[in-house]
Amino acid sequence: MTAIAATGQETDNPSFTYEKKGRWLTHWEPDNLKFWESGGKQTARKNLIFSVFAENLGFSVWVIWGTVVTSMGAAGFGFLEGLGKGNPVAVSNALLLTSTPTLVGAALRIPYTFAIPRFGGRAFTAFSAAMLLIPTLGLAYFVNQPGTPMWVFLILAALAGFGGGNFSSSMANISFFFPEGKKGAALGINAAGGNLGVAQTQLVLPLLITLGTHLTAKDPAGYRFGITLAVLVWIPFILVATFGALRYMDSITNAKSDGKSYRLALTNPHTWIMSFLYIGTFGSFIGFSFAFPTLIKANFPDLAKIGWITTLGNLAFLGALVGSFSRPFGGWVSDKVGGAKITVFVFSGMAVAVALIMVALDLKSFPLYLAAFLLLFVLTGIGNGSTYRMIPSIFSATAKKHASEHGLDLTEANASARRQAGAAIGVIGAIGASGGYLLQQALRLSNINFGTMAPAFWAYAGAFLVMAAVTWWYYLRSSFAIEKAPSLAYANV
């Protein structure tokens, strides 16, 4: 093997090399300051840039159905006709199409996490980006076939779940590139870059769909052209992401999964408690992000008459936008105050926000409805940051307690806690994302069985209060003082 530096040039220094074939880094030691400053930092940042780009596109494709369904009725697909008039069948079908990618994306998060050690970050990032071509090109083709049945679109919606799985592989890959003291910031940037894909899709797609009808005609064929335009716009970016990953990213030979840590994390009850809480924060964020365009159109159909600059999607994108930007703030304020305290505040506030949404619907006040939903989205973002801040603190506190009670080495206990926290985050992230599916299905079933979504919303409010109580019971009582535990690498992810 020829010694090749990270820049691709031959070097006499064997401490920072990769195999020429496949761009595998054979020696990677980011916690070594000399190694980090002599080229490791530049290589890690380069991989982070292309990782963020690919993950952002993954989220963009994952959430694409949340916007597309609002125009498919006008495009001539009978199973969604009447969505803007509150047709319960159309609303139910729309929520089924928007919830399916959520479920598939959540399920893929676990195997995608294990794919990085098996195939390498470079190859799998390129593969996962290229897979986004299937749901996008498929939708662009079948939306131009007016007789396409709903089951075909349901399959395409499921394939869009590939974009949701990208999150876990991207996060797992980047975690290997950065030293412990810099992982939090790197993973935070990676996560925020992905989350912003939701907002940009909900901003851009409605504008492109409307542009399509302006270029052709405001009839079913015009809407089909607009949807096609809105979908195909992502193809060049997907190709660039795939090529960029193959050309510029690297894989690390010692990026191996820790099976023992996963087993310990799965048997730790706190993994499942935090999964339940993350269903309430991230599950609500992603679930309402998918459903928000449909909810606006179903409850306030007259807004469509305002004009194309203020189309429905351009209002819906605000939710994902504020939720994405508030996530880092949740991690930051949790470092100052404590993750559990912030999480209790978040869940209590989310229950209030749901109550305000119900008041807005009774008053038929769209300004109050939008403000209440934006409050809910802000709180979900803060909650995403605070719950992730809690995870390493919990594992650190329990490891220290166990080491103290059994006379074990504290350094090894802390190292084990870090490994278990990393493993738990993968599980918690997958289960939390599945909450988005549960949330939308609850809305759909409530609409079918009761003719209104009010029972589902009130159930959410009750669930958020239960989650606040669970957080207090396990993590704020004096018997479990996690707030004094140190902030570890994953605090602000």
Side-chain angles (χ1 to χ4, degrees):
M1 184 193 76
T2 303
I4 306 292
T7 59
Q9 302 298 319
E10 293 189 12
T11 178
D12 293 329
N13 179 10
S15 64
F16 187 34
T17 60
Y18 62 75
E19 294 179 12
K20 188 173 183 179
K21 183 178 179 180
R23 297 186 65 91
W24 282 88
L25 294 166
T26 57
H27 180 84
W28 188 252
E29 197 178 353
D31 287 299
N32 182 321
L33 183 59
K34 183 178 180 181
F35 177 93
W36 181 251
E37 294 296 336
S38 63
K41 177 168 59 178
Q42 288 79 3
T43 298
R45 288 178 177 176
K46 175 194 65 176
N47 280 273
L48 176 61
I49 289 170
F50 285 97
S51 176
V52 168
F53 184 48
E55 189 196 345
N56 177 275
L57 288 172
F59 267 81
S60 297
V61 172
W62 191 25
V63 79
I64 206 169
W65 280 91
T67 299
V68 166
V69 295
T70 63
S71 298
M72 288 183 67
F77 297 97
F79 51 85
L80 287 174
E81 285 184 358
L83 178 62
K85 298 179 180 179
N87 180 354
V89 175
V91 173
S92 174
N93 288 337
L95 290 171
L96 183 60
L97 286 168
T98 60
S99 62
T100 299
T102 317
L103 179 64
V104 175
L108 286 176
R109 284 189 167 198
I110 292 179
Y112 268 47
T113 299
F114 289 100
I116 295 300
R118 177 65 180 84
F119 302 104
R122 168 185 170 270
F124 197 77
T125 300
F127 168 79
S128 61
M131 290 296 285
L132 302 177
L133 293 170
I134 299 175
T136 47
L137 291 174
L139 176 56
Y141 174 79
F142 283 105
V143 81
N144 284 291
Q145 314 300 317
T148 301
M150 181 175 166
W151 67 265
V152 173
F153 289 117
L154 200 59
I155 292 174
L156 292 171
L159 292 173
F162 287 136
N166 284 13
F167 177 85
S168 286
S169 59
S170 179
M171 297 290 274
N173 182 44
I174 291 303
S175 69
F176 290 114
F177 276 95
F178 286 82
E180 290 299 324
K182 298 182 183 295
K183 280 185 181 180
L187 293 176
I189 292 170
N190 205 49
N195 288 353
L196 283 172
V198 180
Q200 71 189 28
T201 296
Q202 293 181 341
L203 171 64
V204 172
L205 258 65
L207 291 174
L208 290 175
I209 293 172
T210 307
L211 175 63
T213 62
H214 276 66
L215 293 175
T216 53
K218 204 168 185 178
D219 59 12
Y223 275 99
R224 289 195 294 272
F225 174 74
I227 293 172
T228 304
L229 182 65
V231 173
L232 291 181
V233 74
W234 302 109
I235 301 301
F237 296 102
I238 294 171
L239 294 174
V240 170
T242 303
F243 173 79
L246 285 173
R247 177 65 180 84
Y248 297 106
M249 290 188 72
D250 306 294
S251 300
I252 301 174
T253 57
N254 62 350
K256 303 299 181 183
S257 57
D258 186 349
K260 180 180 178 182
S261 293
Y262 273 95
R263 289 192 296 272
L264 290 173
L266 289 174
T267 58
N268 192 318
H270 293 293
T271 298
W272 305 106
I273 296 170
M274 292 306 301
S275 295
F276 174 65
L277 299 182
Y278 203 52
I279 285 174
T281 56
F282 184 76
S284 296
F285 169 78
I286 200 66
F288 280 124
S289 292
F290 273 85
F292 200 25
T294 295
L295 295 177
I296 292 177
K297 186 164 188 176
N299 291 311
F300 298 93
D302 291 340
L303 288 177
K305 302 175 182 178
I306 294 176
W308 78 292
I309 296 299
T310 53
T311 51
L312 299 178
N314 290 326
L315 298 171
F317 94 96
L318 292 172
L321 183 68
V322 298
S324 299
F325 277 111
S326 64
R327 181 170 185 157
F329 174 77
W332 175 80
V333 74
S334 295
D335 283 336
K336 306 295 182 182
V337 179
K341 291 179 181 177
I342 296 300
T343 302
V344 168
F345 167 80
V346 162
F347 282 130
S348 301
M350 288 171 67
V352 173
V354 169
L356 289 174
I357 291 170
M358 292 293 95
V359 171
L361 288 174
D362 287 340
L363 297 176
K364 300 187 183 304
S365 170
F366 179 72
L368 178 59
Y369 183 81
L370 181 61
F373 251 114
L374 291 182
L375 173 62
L376 182 62
F377 274 109
V378 168
L379 290 170
T380 62
I382 295 173
N384 288 336
S386 65
T387 49
Y388 259 51
R389 167 63 180 89
M390 291 170 63
I391 296 168
S393 297
I394 291 167
F395 279 88
S396 176
T398 53
K400 285 182 177 179
K401 182 179 179 181
H402 180 77
S404 176
E405 292 175 348
H406 295 83
L408 303 177
D409 180 69
L410 187 59
T411 301
E412 175 56 31
N414 282 331
S416 176
R418 290 177 185 272
R419 293 192 295 268
Q420 289 183 56
I425 280 174
V427 177
I428 293 167
I431 295 175
S434 70
Y437 173 80
L438 298 175
L439 182 148
Q440 293 176 81
Q441 286 302 301
L443 288 172
R444 188 177 74 87
L445 294 174
S446 177
N447 189 64
I448 291 174
N449 295 314
F450 301 103
T452 173
M453 299 181 197
F457 274 102
W458 286 120
Y460 300 151
F464 295 149
L465 292 176
V466 169
M467 291 172 178
V470 168
T471 306
W472 175 85
W473 179 263
Y474 283 102
Y475 305 122
L476 278 182
R477 294 184 301 155
S478 58
S479 60
F480 197 97
I482 68 167
E483 299 307 323
K484 295 182 180 179
S487 175
L488 301 184
Y490 308 93
N492 294 326
V493 177

